[in-house]
Amino acid sequence: MAFLSKNRAKARRVIPGFHLSVGFTLFYLGLIVLIPLSAVFLKTFTMTWDAFWQTVTSERVMASYRLTFGASLLAAFINVIFGGILAWVLVRYKFPGKRLIDAFVDLPFALPTAVAGITLATLYAPNGWLGKLLVPFDIKVAYTPSGVLVALIFIGLPFVVRTVQPVLEEAEKELEEAAISLGASHWQTFVRVIFPTILPAVLTGFALAFARATGEYGSVIFIAGNMPMISEITPLFMITKLEQYDYAGATAIAAVMLIISFILLLAINALQAWTRSRQTAGRE
């Protein structure tokens, strides 16, 4: 018993200065995250309830909510599908130029958002390289809600690929070979063996892509057109409020976005935890 207690004591002291490290971590988290977020709500509390409700539920603001959160969810869902396929190809196949494509995946991370927005707007404009190919089909991307979706897909793709890729690399191929040898089809092997393994990573990638998309500004405003009630995103509306020196109105809209984003991310994380618990129970 004494030996076990000593081992437990050593395990608790693996990190030198544990209490100091935890204290610094909480202090840093509060300074960088909690205090700025609490300031949003404190500024919002300076408004009356009627003024707050009128600000966050006006027709123009509601339209921006629908575009921002709707496009963010759709972009994250599209990135999960095609980002998962891209991660699968990069892990499971060997082909010329693989390393170059793998490097291109990180391009949205390194590229300034304003540059990305200008580039996308130039490409998808009616006279752009890609936009003029869509004109005969009466498809407009630039300066429409579709342009917002394209920009959000562009900036969210790396989050899914880089989250799913390492999980696929560590997946046990012996389980797939065993399933195939027992008569399972390739589709059954993917659905029952591979997909449950990568599902937590897929949900994490979805959450990261969605979180990035809801707050994206630089790459969207150049291709969106920023037309009220049509292609105006909520972050741009907050900037407009700030330019009008309506700080309380801007923080009120920011608080609503923060609450909605937190609820959606909490639901995704709960689903991810439930999936992992089911996997653990299945293994036992």
Side-chain angles (χ1 to χ4, degrees):
M1 294 295 293
F3 178 75
L4 293 175
S5 62
K6 289 181 179 179
N7 286 340
R8 290 174 182 173
K10 290 180 179 179
R12 287 194 296 267
R13 294 195 298 269
V14 169
I15 301 177
F18 174 75
H19 297 291
L20 179 62
S21 300
V22 172
F24 176 78
T25 301
L26 295 177
F27 170 76
Y28 189 78
L29 181 65
L31 183 66
I32 300 299
V33 179
L34 299 181
I35 293 178
L37 292 182
S38 62
V40 172
F41 291 97
L42 291 175
K43 186 65 177 180
T44 303
F45 291 154
T46 61
M47 304 176 67
T48 63
W49 172 254
D50 291 336
F52 170 80
W53 187 252
Q54 185 178 2
T55 299
V56 301
T57 60
S58 66
E59 189 176 0
R60 185 175 171 184
V61 174
M62 294 298 292
S64 72
Y65 290 154
R66 288 191 292 269
L67 176 61
T68 299
F69 289 104
S72 298
L73 286 170
L74 183 57
F77 181 74
I78 293 173
N79 278 328
V80 162
I81 296 175
F82 293 98
I85 295 174
L86 179 56
W88 177 272
V89 170
L90 291 175
V91 172
R92 295 302 177 94
Y93 299 102
K94 295 181 179 180
F95 53 89
K98 177 180 175 179
R99 292 186 177 179
L100 185 62
I101 294 176
D102 192 40
F104 281 157
V105 171
D106 294 326
L107 191 60
F109 283 148
L111 196 65
T113 55
V115 175
I118 294 172
T119 302
L120 292 173
T122 303
L123 287 175
Y124 285 99
N127 58 347
W129 289 355
L130 299 178
K132 64 183 179 183
L133 299 178
L134 301 175
V135 170
F137 302 98
D138 196 25
I139 299 176
K140 297 180 180 179
V141 176
Y143 318 123
T144 67
S146 299
V148 176
L149 180 63
V150 169
L152 297 183
I153 291 173
F154 175 80
I155 58 98
L157 179 65
F159 291 95
V160 177
V161 176
R162 294 311 184 207
T163 305
V164 176
Q165 189 176 2
V167 178
L168 282 174
E169 290 175 348
E170 296 177 0
E172 298 180 6
K173 295 183 180 180
E174 293 79 5
L175 296 177
E176 304 173 33
E177 296 172 356
I180 294 175
S181 65
L182 292 174
S185 63
H186 290 287
W187 177 250
Q188 290 174 328
T189 302
F190 175 78
V191 172
R192 298 186 179 184
V193 178
I194 301 174
F195 186 70
T197 303
I198 66 173
L199 181 56
V202 169
L203 292 175
T204 301
F206 180 89
L208 292 174
F210 169 75
R212 171 66 190 274
T214 54
E216 183 60 23
Y217 176 78
S219 63
V220 175
I221 58 172
F222 292 100
I223 194 174
N226 309 318
M227 292 178 284
M229 305 294 297
I230 299 176
S231 59
E232 186 178 45
I233 59 174
T234 306
L236 175 62
F237 198 82
M238 289 189 291
I239 294 296
T240 303
K241 287 282 188 182
L242 292 174
E243 291 176 347
Q244 297 171 353
Y245 301 101
D246 185 5
Y247 300 117
T251 54
I253 299 172
V256 172
M257 281 198 68
L258 179 62
I259 293 172
I260 296 175
S261 298
F262 179 78
I263 293 173
L264 290 173
L265 291 175
L266 185 63
I268 295 171
N269 289 333
L271 179 60
Q272 183 182 11
W274 176 76
T275 304
R276 286 179 174 172
S277 65
R278 286 195 61 187
Q279 289 181 345
T280 304
R283 291 170 184 171
E284 294 178 353

